[in-house]
Amino acid sequence: MTGVTEKIEASQSDLSDSSFDQVMLKNARFHDVAAQRVSLRDINLSDARFAQFNLSRGSFTDGTMPGVRFENVNMAGTGFANVSLVGASIEGANLTGLHINGCNLTRMRIDGVPVEDLIAAYRKSA
């Protein structure tokens, strides 16, 4: 189908192995959708909302996510590499077993205490 401009409603449909290229889905709504192994590339999802979702084993590369909020989300086992978290805030999180290695900690604070000072004090006492 090419050049379709009308509203399309699909319900109880199997669209497996479908392909969408240069398609506008502004204000589209997806509810109770199975989209395992879906591939999204060059997608603008700004202002998108996700609720009651499962992104297990998802991969996010070469993207931009400023202003994104994660609330009541289980991110156990998640990895971040070469990620900018400048100005980010983490509140009320369970950071048990969190490992931070080779990161720029400039102006990072934990409960208001500069991390650089904590590391310097630790190294001085060690």
Side-chain angles (χ1 to χ4, degrees):
M1 245 188 319
T2 302
V4 176
T5 57
E6 73 268 7
K7 177 175 156 181
I8 296 174
E9 292 192 24
S11 181
Q12 298 179 357
S13 301
D14 184 349
L15 300 176
S16 296
D17 300 315
S18 294
S19 178
F20 302 93
D21 187 32
Q22 297 181 11
V23 174
M24 174 68 76
L25 291 171
K26 189 175 182 179
N27 296 320
R29 184 183 67 81
F30 298 87
H31 178 73
D32 196 16
V33 174
Q36 294 91 339
R37 292 176 302 281
V38 67
S39 176
L40 305 172
R41 185 176 177 91
D42 295 327
I43 304 294
N44 181 347
L45 290 173
S46 56
D47 298 313
R49 301 226 181 264
F50 299 88
Q52 299 174 338
F53 56 88
N54 180 349
L55 290 174
S56 298
R57 295 169 308 284
S59 175
F60 300 86
T61 57
D62 300 322
T64 180
M65 298 172 72
V68 172
R69 297 197 48 84
F70 297 95
E71 297 178 18
N72 301 315
V73 176
N74 179 348
M75 297 179 81
T78 300
F80 295 94
N82 302 314
V83 174
S84 174
L85 295 173
V86 173
S89 175
I90 299 173
E91 299 175 23
N94 180 348
L95 302 178
T96 303
L98 176 69
H99 296 274
I100 299 175
N101 299 303
C103 296
N104 181 345
L105 305 177
T106 305
R107 295 190 315 270
M108 180 179 169
R109 295 178 173 272
I110 297 177
D111 290 334
V113 179
V115 171
E116 291 169 296
D117 294 351
L118 294 171
I119 292 172
Y122 172 78
R123 289 183 177 150
K124 185 177 180 181
S125 69

